[in-house]
C-alpha cells in the first residue's frame, strides 16, 4: 500500500521535474493521432514545384497550420508572384541573444504514378513495415499509441514534409508545455527546393533583414544508414546537364542503312563510357583538381562514423562498388558524375528495327567545397570536345551537320549551385551537436558534408551566415523515387531533435 501512495505523492514532483525532452515526448504521445492527421492531410496535396495551383494549396495549408499554433505567418513571394512562395513565421524569445532560422521544404520531386506500388504519390497509405520487409497495408492506425515501426507511404512523406511537421510539432510541444526556447526562432518553408531553388536567392535578397540569423538550421534528408541521428555540416552542390548526340535527320530502316549510317546510341554510349575509368573514377581532366581538403575535426568525424558499407552492399544487392577501397563517407566528399538516365528509340512493345535520330542523357554533377559550378561544367564540355564533338546549344543546323561529323548539344539546366561546408568547431556548431546528442545515448554521427545537395551557398553567401543540417528521415525512405515513405519513429524522434535545437544552450 505504501508504494503506490508514495508514487502518488511524488507524481506532481515527477511531472514538475520532467526534462524538456520528456515534456515533448509526453505531448507527442497525447497527440499522436492528431499529428498524423495533420501530416497526412498535408501529404494529400500534390506538391511538384511546377504545379502552381497545388503548390499554393500546400503553402496555404502550412500557413493555416502556423496560424492554428498562434504564429503570425506570411508568404514571401518573388517580384512576379509567379513562383512557389516561402511560408515564413517568427517566434521571438524575450532576452534571447541568438537567432536561428529553421528550414524545411514542402515541395517534392516529380514522379510517375505508374511506378508506385504501395499507393499513389498523393494518397498517403499506412503500412505495418517497409514494403521490402513484407509490410501490410492497413486503412488506418489502431486507436491508442501508434506502432512506431509503421510507415506512411506518399510523395514527400520523408522529403521533406516530415521536416515541416517535425518543426511545427516541436514548436507546439514546447509552447504547450511552457518550455521557452533559447533562441529567437524564424520558420522558413521553401516550395521549390526539388526544382533547384531557382528563386531562393531572389526571395532572400528581397527579405535580407527578415531572414538574417546566426545560423540556418535545415531539416532535410535521411539520418545515418545505421539509424543513428546525425548532423551534416555541408551539402554538395549540384547541376544537371542534358547531353544529346545526333545521327541521321530522320529515323532509318536498320536493315537498309545499318552498318552505314551512325547510330546515336553507340555514339553516346562511347562518349559516356569515356568519362569514367573501370574503377569508377571520373576521367574528365581536372575533375578533382580544386577540391578543398578536409580539416582535422572533419577527418576525425569520418573516422569515428559507424562503418556500414558492408551491410549496405548486402541490402542493395551489389558486390562491387566504385572507387574500391574508399568508403561511402569518404567518397561523398568528392565530386561525382552520375548518369540520371538516357533514351534513344523505344524498347519493349514499341521496339522496332530502326536507327534512331538522337540519343539524350541527363547528367547529374555533384560538387564539393572548392568546386565551382561553371568551372566543373566547362570541364565536362571540354571533355566532350576532346572526344571529337562539336558542341552546340541548339538543334543542329544543316550547315553544322554538313561541317561537323560529330555534334553534341549540351544544355546546362538552370538552378545549379556550389557546395557549402560549415566548420565543425564553431560555437554554434558545438551547440547543435550537443543539442542533438542530448536526445539519444548512441553517439551521433557528424558528417562534414551530406551526399545530397541543398542550395546552402545561396543562403550563406547572401546572408553571411552558416548552415547546418539536421535530418530526421529513415535512410531507406525511397527519397526522390517511387514508394517514398517515412518510418513513424523517425518522425517522433525528429520532433524531439528539433525541440532540443530550439532549446539548445
Ligand atoms: Zn529534400
Amino acid at each position: 500500500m505504501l508504494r503506490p501512495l508514495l508514487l502518488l505523492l511524488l507524481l506532481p514532483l515527477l511531472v514538475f521535474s520532467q526534462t524538456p525532452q520528456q515534456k515533448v515526448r509526453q505531448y507527442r504521445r497525447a497527440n499522436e493521432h492528431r499529428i498524423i492527421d495533420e501530416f497526412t492531410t498535408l501529404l494529400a496535396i500534390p506538391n511538384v514545384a511546377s504545379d502552381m495551383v497545388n503548390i499554393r494549396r500546400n503553402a496555404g495549408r502550412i500557413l493555416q497550420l502556423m496560424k492554428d499554433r498562434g504564429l503570425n505567418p506570411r508568404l514571401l513571394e518573388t517580384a512576379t508572384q509567379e513562383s512557389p512562395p516561402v511560408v515564413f513565421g517568427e517566434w521571438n524569445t524575450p532576452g534571447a541573444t541568438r537567432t536561428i532560422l529553421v528550414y524545411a521544404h514542402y515541395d517534392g520531386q516529380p514522379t510517375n504514378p505508374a511506378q508506385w506500388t504501395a499507393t499513389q504519390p498523393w494518397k498517403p497509405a499506412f503500412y505495418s513495415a517497409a514494403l521490402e520487409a513484407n509490410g501490410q497495408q492497413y486503412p488506418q492506425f489502431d486507436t491508442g499509441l501508434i506502432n512506431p515501426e509503421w510507415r506512411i507511404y506518399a510523395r514527400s512523406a520523408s522529403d521533406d514534409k516530415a521536416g515541416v511537421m517535425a518543426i511545427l510539432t516541436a514548436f507546439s510541444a514546447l509552447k504547450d508545455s511552457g518550455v521557452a526556447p533559447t533562441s529567437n526562432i524564424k520558420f522558413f518553408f521553401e516550395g521549390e527546393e526539388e526544382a533547384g531553388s531557382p528563386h531562393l536567392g531572389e526571395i532572400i535578397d528581397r527579405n535580407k533583414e527578415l531572414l538574417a540569423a546566426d545560423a540556418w538550421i535545415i531539416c532535410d534528408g535521411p539520418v545515418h544508414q545505421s539509424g543513428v541521428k546525425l548532423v551534416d555540416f555541408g551539402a554538395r552542390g549540384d547541376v544537371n546537364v542534358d547531353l544529346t548526340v545526333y545521327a541521321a535527320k530522320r529515323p532509318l530502316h536498320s536493315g537498309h542503312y545499318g552498318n552505314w549510317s551512325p547510330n546515336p546510341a553507340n555514339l553516346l554510349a562511347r562518349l559516356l563510357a569515356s568519362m569514367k575509368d573501370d574503377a569508377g573514377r571520373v576521367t574528365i581532366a581536372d575533375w578533382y583538381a580544386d577540391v578543398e581538403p578536409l580539416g582535422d575535426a572533419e577527418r576525425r568525424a569520418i573516422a569515428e562514423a559507424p562503418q556500414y558499407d558492408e551491410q549496405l552492399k548486402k541490402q542493395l544487392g551489389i558486390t562491387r562498388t566504385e572507387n574500391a577501397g574508399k568508403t561511402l563517407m569518404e567518397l561523398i566528399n568528392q565530386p561525382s558524375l552520375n548518369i540520371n538516365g538516357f533514351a534513344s528509340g523505344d524498347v519493349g512493345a514499341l521496339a522496332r528495327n530502326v536507327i534512331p535520330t538522337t540519343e539524350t542523357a541527363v547528367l547529374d554533377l555533384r560538387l564539393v567545397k572548392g568546386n565551382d559550378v561553371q568551372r566543373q561544367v566547362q570541364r565536362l564540355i571540354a571533355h566532350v570536345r576532346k572526344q571529337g564533338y562539336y558542341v552546340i546549344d541548339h538543334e543542329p543546323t544543316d550547315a553544322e551537320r554538313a561541317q561537323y561529323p560529330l555534334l553534341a548539344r549540351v544544355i546546362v539546366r538552370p538552378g545549379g549551385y556550389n557546395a557549402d561546408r560549415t566548420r565543425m568547431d564553431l560555437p554554434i556548431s558545438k551547440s547543435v551537436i550537443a543539442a542533438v546528442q542530448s536526445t539519444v545515448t548512441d553517439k551521433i554521427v557528424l558528417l562534414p558534408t551530406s551526399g545530397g545537395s541543398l542550395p546552402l551557398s545561396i543562403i550563406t553567401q547572401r546572408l553571411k551566415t552558416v548552415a547546418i543540417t539536421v535530418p530526421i528521415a529513415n535512410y531507406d525512405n525511397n527519397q526522390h523515387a517511387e514508394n517514398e515513405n517515412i518510418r513513424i519513429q523517425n518522425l517522433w524522434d525528429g520532433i524531439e531533435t528539433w525541440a532540443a535545437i530550439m532549446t539548445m544552450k
Side-chain angles (χ1 to χ4, degrees):
M1 248 352 252
L2 222 149
R3 271 215 183 134
L5 187 68
L6 198 67
L7 255 180
L8 260 179
L9 287 170
L10 281 173
L11 201 58
L13 203 66
L14 284 172
V15 170
F16 186 72
S17 63
Q18 274 183 327
T19 64
Q21 187 183 8
Q22 286 166 332
K23 289 181 184 173
V24 168
R25 189 169 298 182
Q26 196 172 47
Y27 171 89
R28 182 262 294 171
R29 285 192 166 149
N31 292 281
E32 286 190 348
H33 289 270
R34 198 180 47 73
I35 297 166
I36 295 294
D37 277 350
E38 279 186 342
F39 187 32
T40 50
T41 307
L42 185 61
L43 289 175
I45 312 173
N47 66 333
V48 177
S50 58
D51 176 0
M52 207 49 66
V53 172
N54 279 312
I55 208 74
R56 285 197 177 268
R57 285 179 59 217
N58 280 276
R61 178 72 197 140
I62 295 168
L63 202 71
Q64 188 59 47
L65 289 175
M66 292 170 78
K67 281 183 187 156
D68 294 346
R69 285 161 169 77
L71 288 161
N72 194 11
R74 56 172 143 152
L75 300 182
L76 307 182
E77 300 272 3
T78 58
T80 61
Q81 306 208 348
E82 280 169 3
S83 301
V86 166
V87 191
F88 177 84
E90 283 180 278
W91 187 20
N92 286 319
T93 306
T97 53
R98 180 176 56 197
T99 299
I100 59 171
L101 184 145
V102 298
Y103 167 107
H105 65 87
Y106 62 85
D107 67 313
Q109 283 269 326
T111 188
N112 179 357
Q115 287 170 340
W116 285 63
T117 53
T119 180
Q120 287 297 284
W122 293 284
K123 218 172 153 242
F126 303 111
Y127 277 77
S128 56
L131 274 185
E132 296 77 11
N134 290 318
Q136 300 299 309
Q137 190 179 357
Y138 290 90
Q140 63 194 43
F141 288 113
D142 288 338
T143 51
L145 278 187
I146 288 169
N147 182 336
E149 291 305 325
W150 278 36
R151 300 207 177 197
I152 299 176
Y153 280 80
R155 170 52 90 229
S156 295
S158 57
D159 182 17
D160 186 25
K161 285 178 175 175
V164 175
M165 281 316 299
I167 287 169
L168 290 180
T169 310
F171 166 79
S172 306
L174 293 174
K175 195 177 174 216
D176 194 79
S177 335
V179 181
T182 47
S183 310
N184 296 313
I185 297 169
K186 298 178 175 179
F187 300 87
F188 186 99
F189 301 120
E190 194 193 355
E192 53 180 359
E193 194 273 341
E194 299 294 3
S197 299
H199 301 94
L200 181 60
E202 181 191 337
I203 288 181
I204 290 176
D205 287 342
R206 287 165 63 88
N207 299 281
K208 271 200 167 153
E209 233 164 87
L210 193 66
L211 301 177
D214 295 296
W216 277 46
I217 307 180
I218 288 158
C219 185
D220 197 7
V223 298
H224 190 259
Q225 285 92 342
S226 62
V228 178
K229 289 188 181 182
L230 68 78
V231 183
D232 281 341
F233 290 85
R236 294 208 274 189
D238 193 19
V239 62
N240 285 122
V241 175
D242 292 277
L243 174 60
T244 304
V245 297
Y246 295 85
K249 277 165 108 171
R250 56 187 168 83
L252 297 173
H253 187 286
S254 62
H256 295 320
Y257 296 96
N259 281 354
W260 182 76
S261 190
N263 183 298
N266 284 127
L267 293 175
L268 190 69
R270 279 173 194 279
L271 180 55
L272 293 176
S274 75
M275 294 178 186
K276 268 191 179 182
D277 66 17
D278 289 345
R281 195 170 164 83
V282 179
T283 50
I284 295 172
D286 294 331
W287 197 251
Y288 304 97
D290 40 24
V291 172
E292 192 179 301
L294 298 172
D296 285 345
E298 285 75 16
R299 278 206 302 275
R300 207 178 320 122
I302 290 178
E304 285 174 1
Q307 295 301 319
Y308 202 69
D309 286 17
E310 287 311 314
Q311 285 107 301
L312 207 54
K313 279 160 72 176
K314 232 172 260 161
Q315 280 183 26
L316 298 174
I318 51 174
T319 46
R320 181 178 173 275
T321 53
E322 295 192 324
N323 300 287
K326 290 215 170 88
T327 64
L328 173 59
M329 194 87 117
E330 290 172 288
L331 289 166
I332 59 177
N333 286 284
Q334 296 288 324
S336 73
L337 176 68
N338 184 60
I339 303 166
N340 285 358
F342 53 79
S344 181
D346 287 304
V347 295
L350 287 175
R352 59 213 175 278
N353 292 337
V354 74
I355 302 173
T357 55
T358 63
E359 169 147 3
T360 299
V362 180
L363 302 180
D364 174 35
L365 285 60
R366 300 281 170 165
L367 313 174
V368 298
K369 184 100 175 181
N371 289 152
D372 174 76
V373 93
Q374 291 314 327
R375 238 179 5 239
Q376 204 74 341
V377 166
Q378 287 312 315
R379 286 171 180 153
L380 171 71
I381 292 173
H383 180 87
V384 174
R385 287 201 178 106
K386 222 159 78 186
Q387 311 310 307
Y389 282 87
Y390 183 72
V391 173
I392 48 178
D393 61 359
H394 50 265
E395 285 294 311
T397 62
D398 286 345
E400 283 163 343
R401 283 179 174 278
Q403 191 177 352
Y404 304 103
L406 292 171
L407 288 164
R409 183 169 67 140
V410 177
I411 302 290
V412 182
R413 295 198 180 187
Y417 51 82
N418 289 345
D420 192 75
R421 200 162 69 217
T422 297
R423 285 176 53 163
M424 285 184 177
D425 54 4
L426 300 179
I428 186 88
S429 302
K430 289 179 176 167
S431 292
V432 171
I433 294 169
V436 178
Q437 185 62 74
S438 76
T439 63
V440 280
T441 46
D442 290 326
K443 194 172 187 318
I444 63 168
V445 178
L446 307 177
L447 278 184
T449 186
S450 86
S453 296
L454 284 170
L456 302 180
S457 56
I458 299 175
I459 300 162
T460 55
Q461 283 169 18
R462 283 186 156 77
L463 293 170
K464 306 270 174 281
T465 186
V466 297
I468 298 170
T469 302
V470 183
I472 63 168
N474 37 298
Y475 80 96
D476 59 344
N477 64 33
N478 292 336
Q479 185 180 0
H480 292 194
E482 54 275 11
N483 296 334
E484 180 176 350
N485 65 86
I486 183 94
R487 175 175 162 263
I488 300 293
Q489 186 62 48
N490 281 73
L491 180 61
W492 296 164
D493 291 344
I495 295 166
E496 292 180 14
T497 302
W498 280 81
I501 289 169
M502 292 178 192
T503 54
M504 67 187 175
K505 293 205 176 66

